[in-house]
Amino acid sequence: MNDDLRNIVLGVIAAGLSASVGWFFRTYLWKRKLRRKQTFFGLPENSESLLVVNRDPSSADLAVHRFDVFALLELSALIKDCGSHAQIITQDAAQQGFGERTEFCVGGPISNRRMAAHISAMLPGISFNMDPEPGPHRAAFQIGDEQHRLDPGITEHVILARLTTGQPDQARPVFLFCGQRAITNQAATRYLARNHERLHRKYGTGTFVLLLKVVNSQAYGADVVELVADVTRAAQTPAPAPSTPAQISHRAS
C-alpha cells in the first residue's frame, strides 16, 4: 500500500468515525430532550392522556369553537411528539379522578364544568364574573386582590396552569387553559408549546399558575402573548369570606 492509498483509507476511516460520533451525540441530545419533555408533560412512551374539550357557549348546539379546535390541534401535536396517545372527550363526560392520566382541560368555567371543578378544588383564590349581561366586568378574572377585565380584541387574559397533587405516585399533571375568550385558549396552548423547556427549568414537575395577556388578537390572532404574572400563591390561597352585616355592625360598635 503506497502513501497516497494509505492516506485515502485513513481519511475515510476518520470521516466514518467522525460521522458516527456526531450521530451518537445528536441522538443522545435528542433523547435527553425528549425525556425531559415527557417528564414535564407526564407523558411517558405509549401512555394515555385526556383532552377535555368545552362547548361553544354562543351556540345552541353541542359545538366546539374553532379556536378551541385549534388549541386541541396544538396539544395533539405535543402529545404525539412525546410518543403518547390522546382521548378527546366533552366536558360533561369526563369522570376520571385527578392524576390518573395526564389531562389537558380547555375552556372557561362557563363552557366547561370540568374546568369549574378543577378551579374550585385546586385554585380557590380565582373567581370569575359569569354575568351574561354586557358590562365592564363581564368575564373578568379575580385573582386575590387583582381584577383582570376583558377588552375584546384588544386585551384578553388566560390562565395557564400545571397542577399536581404533590403525591409521588401521581406523576400525571392536569394542564388548564382557562381564557376569557376561545382565542385566548389557543394562545395559551401555543405559549406552552413554545416555552415548555423554560417552564420545566423554572418549575420542574411542580404546580404553577400563570396569568397571560393576549395582545390585540383582532390584528395578531393568538400569536402575541405576554406573561403578566406568576399567580400560583394567590390562586391557591382561598379568598377571604365577605363580611356579613352583623360582623360589620359588631366591628363598628
Side-chain angles (χ1 to χ4, degrees), residues 71-123:
L72 294 176
L73 291 175
E74 300 260 7
L75 294 172
S76 297
L78 281 176
I79 295 168
K80 184 177 180 180
D81 286 345
C82 292
S84 301
H85 311 287
Q87 177 186 2
I88 300 177
I89 61 174
T90 58
Q91 48 88 26
D92 54 350
Q95 296 181 341
Q96 75 164 32
F98 193 99
E100 294 180 11
R101 287 184 287 176
T102 294
E103 178 182 336
F104 301 89
C105 194
V106 177
I110 297 176
S111 60
N112 189 330
R113 67 177 64 175
R114 179 81 171 176
M115 177 69 72
H118 286 323
I119 295 290
S120 176
M122 304 292 289
L123 303 175

Side-chain angles (χ1 to χ4, degrees), residues 158-216:
V158 56
I159 293 168
L160 168 62
R162 183 189 192 277
L163 306 180
T164 62
T165 61
Q167 300 297 324
D169 59 337
Q170 293 182 337
R172 304 296 178 86
V174 172
F175 290 89
L176 305 183
F177 309 88
C178 180
Q180 293 175 323
R181 296 179 67 211
I183 195 170
T184 64
N185 299 329
Q186 182 195 3
T189 59
R190 186 167 295 179
Y191 181 91
L192 180 65
R194 291 173 175 172
N195 296 279
H196 66 85
E197 293 182 359
R198 180 178 61 82
L199 294 173
H200 190 192
R201 287 193 297 269
K202 183 172 183 180
Y203 298 104
T205 56
T207 290
F208 63 78
V209 185
L210 305 179
L211 179 66
L212 308 177
K213 180 172 66 176
V214 183
V215 180
N216 201 0

Side-chain angles (χ1 to χ4, degrees), residues 40-52:
F40 177 75
F41 287 107
L43 294 171
E45 191 79 19
N46 293 319
S47 62
E48 297 291 334
S49 62
L50 203 62
L51 289 172
V52 181

